[in-house]
Amino acid sequence: MKITDLEQRVNLLSLIESKHKVKRVGNVLRINPCPICGKKDHFTIYPETNSYSSFSECCQGGSVYKYLIEVEGMDEETAYKELLELAGETPEGEFKVNIKKGNAPKTEPAKQVKGADAYKDYTNIILELYNKQTDQDKAYFIERGISPEIIDRYKLCIGDVNRLDNNYFGKRAILPVWKDNKVVYWNARAIEKDPKIKYLKARGDAVYFNIDHLKTAAKGETIVITEGEFDALSLESVGIKAIAIGGVGNYKNFIQDNKRNDLLILTAFDNDEKGQAVESKYKIEIPKQYKDINEWIQGNKEEFKESIYKQIETQKRPDSLYNYMLNRLIPDIEQYKQFRDRKTGYKNLDEITSIYPGL
């Protein structure tokens, strides 16, 4: 792939802002002092052309690739690998960069990589963003019903997505997806009201949030399947294991792929037509005034916790008297009413009472 093509996928201004303070001077953007020679008022950034230059000629200037070499101090090979990563590509094989032609070097055929190693590793970036955020940032998650312990466990953070995706969309709530102790995927939700783009996701194949539960859960454990990550995090905040599959359309494939038949799998899909239309043997019933699990925990956390645990216990013992009275008694009475005309065989008893079979 050509270097120029890769550079078009990387926002130079966002890259520079991640490490340097950029200031507007008149109609231009500058870094003061210059990161190369230390002088002022000559290192200039041009967002419209995705390039930079220096009036004092301490560097040649150029676009992203030249910036990595001249400012970041990388050699050609390292700069190209970094450019590939910034552009969302995976380096393959050994190579030497041909700068003059601007072409990506030829590589040896790459070996097929399967399993956890096939995913990009975002762990270090997520840890950096998590450690930089303020208590005010964390308050966003707490207000949504997520416990401080869960915020820390999953490294939920508020940060600029350009550190992950190289496109600037402002600060977002970043929900890391962990697999085999690495962040291999992420979902970032807008935190402002009425955003143009509500969710941004990592490139490549999606990974179910908390999919490792299927490997680590003990025999007989309960796992609740939700649509979104915030719903799963809400359940995790009250001590219930949950997996988010990104929408009801993925449920059928999830069930087909799940090899654990020794777990109690429940669903807690949204309170909309699509969510409630999914056929599931065991369901969490969400009060109709709430659209989903996360809205429920925000509305009444104590009621949420009590009801969730009670429903799970009911599903664990489907033949219990409590479960029967809660779920089957009224439907059975309605069914038995169909037999009103049937008699006991004792005329005087039939005249005195209105007993019918089943009642």
Side-chain angles (χ1 to χ4, degrees), residues 67-289:
Y67 173 85
L68 294 174
I69 294 174
E70 292 190 322
V71 181
E72 296 291 337
M74 300 180 186
D75 58 39
E76 295 173 0
E77 179 176 320
T78 304
Y80 183 73
K81 287 182 178 180
E82 179 69 12
L83 182 60
L84 280 170
E85 185 172 344
L86 290 170
E89 297 291 336
T90 303
E92 296 177 349
E94 297 296 326
F95 50 77
K96 292 182 179 179
V97 181
N98 186 333
I99 303 175
K100 293 182 179 179
K101 293 182 179 180
N103 293 325
K106 294 182 179 180
T107 66
E108 295 297 324
K111 295 180 180 180
Q112 284 292 97
V113 183
K114 297 182 180 180
D117 293 335
Y119 298 106
K120 185 173 180 178
D121 187 354
Y122 298 98
T123 310
N124 290 336
I125 299 176
I126 290 297
L127 292 176
E128 178 186 336
L129 291 172
Y130 176 78
N131 291 325
K132 282 184 177 180
Q133 72 177 338
T134 64
D135 290 339
Q136 184 178 358
D137 291 333
K138 292 182 180 180
Y140 170 83
F141 298 102
I142 293 174
E143 290 172 2
R144 294 203 60 158
I146 312 305
S147 70
E149 294 77 16
I150 294 300
I151 294 172
D152 182 62
R153 182 189 303 173
Y154 290 97
K155 307 305 177 190
L156 308 180
C157 52
I158 304 293
D160 290 338
V161 180
N162 70 294
R163 291 287 286 113
L164 299 163
D165 188 66
N166 312 310
N167 287 296
Y168 186 74
F169 292 95
K171 281 193 170 184
R172 287 176 170 261
I174 301 173
L175 311 174
V177 177
W178 294 81
K179 181 176 172 62
D180 298 323
N181 297 315
K182 294 193 298 185
V183 179
V184 298
Y185 195 74
W186 50 266
N187 196 353
R189 189 190 193 283
I191 56 179
E192 73 271 16
K193 293 183 178 179
D194 303 319
K196 291 182 179 179
I197 303 176
K198 189 174 183 179
Y199 281 101
L200 293 171
K201 299 186 178 184
R203 303 181 188 187
D205 295 336
V207 182
Y208 294 145
F209 181 82
N210 273 348
I211 191 62
D212 278 352
H213 280 340
L214 293 182
K215 291 195 303 183
T216 60
K219 183 178 180 180
E221 271 201 276
T222 299
I223 295 178
V224 179
I225 309 303
T226 69
E227 292 188 45
E229 290 90 345
F230 271 112
D231 296 326
L233 289 165
S234 301
L235 292 162
E236 295 274 337
S237 293
V238 296
I240 298 168
K241 291 185 176 180
I243 296 174
I245 60 174
V248 294
N250 296 322
Y251 181 61
K252 186 176 181 180
N253 288 336
F254 172 82
I255 292 299
Q256 290 175 345
D257 294 340
N258 175 31
K259 307 302 181 184
R260 293 291 300 270
N261 56 10
D262 60 340
L263 303 173
L264 176 60
I265 303 291
L266 290 82
T267 58
F269 294 147
D270 293 357
N271 244 346
D272 55 20
E273 187 176 349
K274 287 184 178 179
Q276 296 307 303
V278 176
E279 293 185 7
S280 172
K281 185 176 181 181
Y282 301 110
K283 288 185 178 182
I284 294 293
E285 297 293 336
I286 302 172
K288 295 191 180 300
Q289 65 265 36

